[in-house]
Amino acid sequence: MNSPKRNVRPWVVMGSIGLISAACLGTTMVLMGSFLVPLSQSLHTSVAFLSYYYTVLVLVMAVMMPVVPKILVRVNNRLLYTLASAAVVVSLLLIPHFTQVGWFFAIALVIGVAISFMSFVPVGILLGNWFVEKTGTAVGICWAITSVFQGIMSPILSAAIGRVGWQQTMTWLALLVAVLSIPCAIFGVSFAPAQEHRQPYGSVTAKVESAPAEPEATVSSRQLFTAPVFWLLLFTIILLQFPAVLNQMFPTYAAMSGFLGTVGGLMVTAAMLFDIFLNPLIGMTCDRFGAEKASLAWLLVALVSYGLLILATRLVSAPLAIFSAGINDVLYVYLGTGITTIASAALGKNAFAKGFSYISSISFFIGAFAMPLNNYIAEQFGGFVAVFALITIVIIGLVAMIRGHHLTLNEEDYHESTNV
């Protein structure tokens, strides 16, 4: 039997899932922002109105989250991800031909369903199946691939839109998404190593276990909803929704702090660059030191970034503001890589898929309105750095509590769960 270090198939699966998420999720959630202004002009509407596209996506994903684990178990994952990738590609090809804004929001429903299988919940489930060891590292590298893709494509798209127009650029982008995602879906995705008569990375047993049973067969909803750790994780992710999107508010911060407009853009760029190496670094530290200990350390780093932002404002130091923005990206990364590892550790393998999907569903509903609430906070308090620092302190307290409230299931629980 091959040693874990030579077991490369899990890393192939990780890379494939990373490319699919980068191409499909990254394009429709982040890179779509490059097209909103010309698209609004073409459809004769405002950018503000078109931005509700993101609200539609997040709300659809919230509805989908509880059923995603069930579909992953029951449907051939290669077929599932091929269809989801194809749905995104076809949607991108159709958008340049829309003449009514209603069609744009209708296609957002389709995209929302498709990318529900590419968010951090299904990524955590699939990589949790393929990695017994280095799960956090795998999750981190997976999201780093998305960060690299977004960082490379954002300036390319801006330049292409200026040269050939947004319709042609989106068509080219759709073809690129197809080239990156569909082959990975066909050849690289699989629900569990046992389906391929393989072992997960880090397994030292010679016996290949059967494919995991459906997650809902091992823990009941009542057990989840009465477990303190479920609510601790839920409140943690809800609170994270607010400071984690600070990178989208850096232009607002720069304007409110008296910086030139270019500083806000450079702060966003710094956050994107830090995102590339913070994803695997946070994952590796969670593997090395434990999810909770590493989380507490990284959250303290986020607090330091708030202090630096306050100092940058008082000194009117653009370089310090830009550097602080990069460090603050810790919270954005933690909402994906970090929270996945801590949820996996706290809920356990038998409850992670179901528990994390419910938690994410609820938090997605609230997260759909995070930006308007953040803007309200900025208006009411004259800024948001101090408020977000306070929220981060509360999150640190919740993570500390999670350490002592891991979900444990005894033999009676398993029997009861299968009958619920």
Side-chain angles (χ1 to χ4, degrees):
M1 182 63 61
N2 291 338
S3 67
K5 291 183 179 180
R6 297 207 305 265
N7 189 7
V8 298
R9 176 58 179 168
W11 298 101
V12 172
V13 173
M14 178 214 69
S16 298
I17 295 171
L19 282 173
I20 294 170
S21 296
C24 296
L25 184 68
T27 293
T28 55
M29 287 293 290
V30 176
L31 299 181
M32 184 63 73
S34 300
F35 297 92
L36 289 187
V37 172
L39 181 59
S40 68
Q41 296 169 351
S42 176
L43 296 177
H44 307 290
T45 187
S46 67
V47 175
F49 181 67
L50 277 189
S51 64
Y52 281 103
Y53 158 86
Y54 294 105
T55 302
V56 173
L57 290 188
V58 175
L59 290 177
V60 171
M61 293 170 71
V63 173
M64 286 292 297
M65 279 306 102
V67 300
V68 163
K70 301 177 183 178
I71 297 174
L72 288 175
V73 172
R74 295 172 181 172
V75 179
N76 182 294
N77 281 200
R78 294 185 179 185
L79 175 62
L80 175 64
Y81 278 86
T82 299
L83 292 176
S85 299
V88 171
V89 172
V90 172
S91 298
L92 294 174
L93 290 173
L94 289 175
I95 289 174
H97 303 285
F98 291 157
T99 57
Q100 296 182 358
V101 70
W103 286 110
F104 181 64
F105 288 109
I107 210 69
L109 296 174
V110 177
I111 294 174
V113 173
I115 64 175
S116 295
F117 298 96
M118 302 159 192
S119 69
F120 53 80
V121 174
V123 167
I125 294 172
L126 293 176
L127 295 184
N129 289 341
W130 277 93
F131 288 84
V132 174
E133 295 178 356
K134 300 187 182 298
T135 308
T137 302
V139 172
I141 294 175
C142 180
W143 291 123
I145 294 172
T146 299
S147 300
V148 171
F149 177 77
Q150 292 170 175
I152 293 174
M153 292 304 301
S154 183
I156 292 176
L157 291 177
S158 297
I161 290 172
R163 289 178 63 87
V164 301
W166 74 270
Q167 292 97 334
Q168 186 64 52
T169 301
M170 181 169 284
T171 300
W172 288 350
L173 180 59
L175 296 177
L176 177 62
V177 170
V179 169
L180 291 177
S181 62
I182 293 178
C184 288
I186 295 173
F187 301 107
V189 177
S190 182
F191 179 72
Q195 294 178 343
E196 300 182 5
H197 304 289
R198 300 174 183 269
Q199 292 189 44
Y201 184 89
S203 174
V204 295
T205 59
K207 180 181 178 181
V208 178
E209 298 178 358
S210 59
E214 184 177 342
E216 287 72 17
T218 58
V219 62
S220 70
S221 298
R222 181 183 60 80
Q223 288 171 295
L224 281 173
F225 297 152
T226 56
V229 70
F230 177 89
W231 297 101
L232 290 172
L233 284 168
L234 176 60
F235 292 141
T236 298
I237 299 183
I238 288 174
L239 289 177
L240 274 169
Q241 302 285 333
F242 298 94
V245 296
L246 181 56
N247 54 4
Q248 300 176 29
M249 301 185 70
F250 285 142
T252 302
Y253 159 83
M256 294 175 65
S257 302
F259 292 109
L260 296 175
T262 54
V263 173
L266 290 173
M267 292 176 74
V268 175
T269 301
M272 292 177 65
L273 291 174
F274 272 69
D275 197 79
I276 294 171
F277 70 84
L278 281 175
N279 266 297
L281 186 58
I282 289 178
M284 286 188 286
T285 54
C286 287
D287 289 335
R288 176 67 177 82
F289 302 104
E292 290 91 348
K293 288 183 180 179
S295 295
L296 291 174
W298 287 112
L299 290 170
L300 289 174
V301 170
L303 277 181
V304 171
S305 75
Y306 291 126
L308 292 176
L309 282 171
I310 293 173
L311 182 61
T313 303
R314 292 181 177 177
L315 298 177
V316 195
S317 173
L320 182 57
I322 294 168
F323 177 71
S324 303
I327 298 177
N328 185 262
D329 190 65
V330 163
L331 282 170
Y332 179 76
V333 173
Y334 186 76
L335 184 58
T337 301
I339 203 65
T340 301
T341 57
I342 197 172
S344 178
L347 294 172
K349 189 172 183 62
N350 294 298
F352 171 73
K354 184 173 185 177
F356 198 39
S357 63
Y358 278 132
I359 290 169
S360 299
S361 176
I362 298 170
S363 65
F364 277 174
F365 273 113
I366 297 174
F369 306 97
M371 281 300 293
L373 288 174
N374 280 342
N375 289 325
Y376 176 79
I377 290 173
E379 292 173 357
Q380 293 298 312
F381 294 91
F384 38 74
V385 175
V387 176
F388 287 172
L390 179 60
I391 291 175
T392 303
I393 292 173
V394 175
I395 293 172
I396 290 174
L398 290 170
V399 171
M401 294 175 65
I402 289 173
R403 290 188 65 184
H405 292 86
H406 283 201
L407 181 65
T408 56
L409 298 173
N410 54 39
E411 186 175 352
E412 289 75 15
D413 290 326
Y414 285 107
H415 289 308
E416 180 181 359
S417 300
T418 57
N419 294 324
V420 175

